[in-house]
Amino acid sequence: MKSENKAVRQPHSKIKMSAGDHMVGVISCIVFGIFAFLCVYPFYYIFINTISANDLSARGVIMFWPQKVHFHNYESALKIDGLFQAMKISVLRTVIGTVSTVIASAFLGYMFTQEEMWHRKFWYRLVVATMYFNAGIIPWYLTMRNLHLTNNFWAYILPLIVQPFNVILTKTFVESTPKELQEAAEIDGAGTLKIFFRIMIPIIKPIMATVAIFAAVGQWNSFQDTLLLMTDNRLYPLQFVLYQYLNQASSLKSMANSSSGSSSLAAVAATAQTSTSIRMTITIIVVIPIMLVYPFFQRYFVKGIMVGAVKG
């Protein structure tokens, strides 16, 4: 029996790799490791400088490891007037703007694939044409003013609902889906809206997630529209506050220092606000929330961008 069992058992097959294959694998690991380090290090560098002694950070001493760790910078930044209001505006414009853009892109991408749509080719080409022709900032500003969108929260939402690039991605993705599903729903008496919400949306979730990432990052990072359209500081988003802080870091340094106290001269030297500490601290506060979006959409992102960008 033992001999039979030995005869039945077969050794696991192993793929033999040549010295050249091993060399390629090692070089690939080194190259991708360097690339990953270059991507991660700037964020790490900014973070360790925000929790290190501010006098050392201002002199450029902190490079790889934090020194004299403290969190006074974050406490002072959170006490600055208008920060939470700016955070509220940023969150609202990101959430509302992203949802609006995703729904509009999905619906238009779906409709532009329907042969029954009235002059669909004309409307599709008209949308695409806006990618290549731009009147400029002054006509754009005059249009926004005539529409009463200055000092108006909806100026953050309405102009960005229809984005041609996202519509093209969604349309291409919809074209790759089986037509039989729509035909079967039409035979059962489903209308256009019912087919879109009940049939298409579950199918095109990957490209919707991709559009959501693009829209959310664009809305969160935008501040030029605030610079041109808003004078009411209650409508300033977080990115515009960051823009102001980067330009006025010296005056904010004294303001932040006046709002906090210390018990010793050594503590004052280590935790006193500097232009560098303010810039880096606010940068971390602004970047971290949008970075948290990616893990939720990562599973859909690769599939959505690949299928949506290449037809067939």
Side-chain angles (χ1 to χ4, degrees), residues 30 60 74 80 88 116 152 197 226 253 257 280 286-287 308:
I30 293 175
Y74 292 97
I80 295 175
K88 176 183 175 182
E116 297 81 7
N152 190 329
F197 287 105
T226 304
K253 175 183 67 175
N257 287 333
M280 293 188 174
V286 169
V287 167

Side-chain angles (χ1 to χ4, degrees), residues 9-11 45 56 63 88 92-93 97 158 163 182 198 207 212 218 260 278-279 297 299 304 309:
R9 293 176 183 172
Q10 297 180 356
Y45 173 79
L56 300 178
M63 296 298 295
K88 176 183 175 182
L92 284 175
R93 73 170 293 180
L158 298 180
Q163 300 184 27
Q182 298 184 45
R198 300 290 296 274
I207 195 63
S260 60
I278 289 178
R279 290 190 182 100
F297 295 98
R299 56 180 296 190

Side-chain angles (χ1 to χ4, degrees), residues 48-94:
I48 62 175
N49 274 272
T50 61
I51 62 175
S52 299
N54 293 338
D55 53 343
L56 300 178
S57 177
R59 297 202 304 267
V61 176
I62 310 300
M63 296 298 295
F64 293 101
W65 304 107
Q67 299 181 32
K68 300 180 181 179
V69 176
H70 68 93
F71 296 93
H72 183 77
N73 290 333
Y74 292 97
E75 294 176 0
S76 299
L78 295 176
K79 292 178 182 177
I80 295 175
D81 293 339
L83 193 66
F84 286 101
Q85 176 64 19
M87 176 71 77
K88 176 183 175 182
I89 294 297
S90 290
V91 171
L92 284 175
R93 73 170 293 180
T94 300

Side-chain angles (χ1 to χ4, degrees), residues 1-293:
M1 293 292 293
K2 291 183 178 180
S3 61
E4 292 179 358
N5 291 335
K6 289 181 179 179
V8 173
R9 293 176 183 172
Q10 297 180 356
H12 296 287
S13 60
K14 295 182 179 179
I15 300 176
K16 294 183 179 180
M17 298 180 63
S18 64
D21 295 333
H22 284 290
M23 183 63 66
V24 171
V26 171
I27 294 175
S28 299
C29 291
I30 293 175
V31 171
F32 284 111
I34 294 173
F35 182 74
F37 174 77
L38 293 176
C39 293
V40 173
Y41 178 73
F43 297 99
Y44 173 74
Y45 173 79
I46 294 175
F47 176 71
I48 62 175
N49 274 272
T50 61
I51 62 175
S52 299
N54 293 338
D55 53 343
L56 300 178
S57 177
R59 297 202 304 267
V61 176
I62 310 300
M63 296 298 295
F64 293 101
W65 304 107
Q67 299 181 32
K68 300 180 181 179
V69 176
H70 68 93
F71 296 93
H72 183 77
N73 290 333
Y74 292 97
E75 294 176 0
S76 299
L78 295 176
K79 292 178 182 177
I80 295 175
D81 293 339
L83 193 66
F84 286 101
Q85 176 64 19
M87 176 71 77
K88 176 183 175 182
I89 294 297
S90 290
V91 171
L92 284 175
R93 73 170 293 180
T94 300
V95 172
I96 299 175
T98 300
V99 173
S100 302
T101 300
V102 169
I103 294 177
S105 300
F107 186 71
L108 287 176
Y110 164 70
M111 290 302 299
F112 286 144
T113 63
Q114 305 302 302
E115 296 181 358
E116 297 81 7
M117 180 180 176
W118 182 69
H119 292 300
R120 66 185 181 95
K121 291 184 179 180
F122 168 77
W123 295 115
Y124 178 67
R125 290 169 182 169
L126 188 63
V127 170
V128 173
T130 60
M131 294 179 62
Y132 305 101
F133 301 98
N134 191 333
I137 293 180
I138 294 178
W140 173 82
Y141 172 78
L142 294 175
T143 301
M144 298 294 285
R145 190 181 66 177
N146 292 334
L147 293 175
H148 304 288
L149 289 177
T150 55
N151 283 327
N152 190 329
F153 174 79
W154 291 105
Y156 296 140
I157 309 299
L158 298 180
L160 299 175
I161 289 180
V162 178
Q163 300 184 27
F165 179 73
N166 295 334
V167 174
I168 294 172
L169 284 180
T170 309
K171 176 180 179 291
T172 307
F173 192 98
V174 172
E175 289 175 341
S176 68
T177 61
K179 288 289 186 181
E180 291 77 6
L181 293 175
Q182 298 184 45
E183 294 173 356
E186 290 174 357
I187 293 174
D188 291 338
T192 301
L193 292 179
K194 188 172 184 180
I195 294 175
F196 173 71
F197 287 105
R198 300 290 296 274
I199 305 297
M200 296 309 302
I201 284 185
I203 297 176
I204 64 175
K205 280 183 180 180
I207 195 63
M208 291 177 68
T210 304
V211 171
I213 291 178
F214 291 156
V217 173
Q219 285 282 8
W220 183 266
N221 291 333
S222 180
F223 71 90
Q224 188 175 12
D225 47 4
T226 304
L227 184 64
L228 297 173
L229 299 175
M230 306 298 173
T231 57
D232 187 352
N233 56 12
R234 294 175 299 177
L235 296 174
Y236 289 170
L238 199 58
Q239 285 292 347
F240 186 75
V241 172
L242 172 62
Y243 171 80
Q244 289 184 316
Y245 285 3
L246 293 178
N247 290 328
Q248 303 173 7
S250 298
S251 60
L252 290 171
K253 175 183 67 175
S254 59
M255 181 176 66
N257 287 333
S258 64
S259 65
S260 60
S262 57
S263 57
S264 65
L265 294 177
V268 170
T271 62
Q273 295 293 309
T274 64
S275 300
T276 301
S277 68
I278 289 178
R279 290 190 182 100
M280 293 188 174
T281 302
I282 301 301
T283 298
I284 290 295
I285 293 175
V286 169
V287 167
I288 290 299
I290 198 61
M291 289 181 64
L292 299 178
V293 173

